[in-house]
Amino acid sequence: MNWLLELVALLLLVTLVLGLIRIWRGPTVADRMLAAQLFGTTGVGLLLVLAELQRMPALRDVALVLALLAVMAVLAFVARVWRQDPNNNHEGPS
């Protein structure tokens, strides 16, 4: 079972590296923000896998805090983009 968790942790690390490449190369700000959100969700998954591998339940609490911070980052990004869009004359979803 440990080898499977180690493999999952390795795959999550590869996903983090690919997300970092997207942040560096991302053509738009939205691409970069989605890659940053990928960091948050992958980080949560990685912390949960490591909590199980190392038998450290405190890492679950850290994963929960990281998940909450990732949500706050997305909300801040959306609020910033919403205010900066001068052509935002939508009254609702179309």
Side-chain angles (χ1 to χ4, degrees), residues 12-45:
L12 288 171
L13 284 174
V14 169
T15 303
L16 282 175
V17 170
L18 292 174
L20 184 62
I21 291 170
R22 173 51 63 191
I23 287 176
W24 279 334
R25 296 183 61 208
T28 65
V29 176
D31 289 331
R32 290 186 173 108
M33 187 58 216
L34 284 173
Q37 184 66 23
L38 174 73
F39 263 71
T41 54
T42 305
V44 168

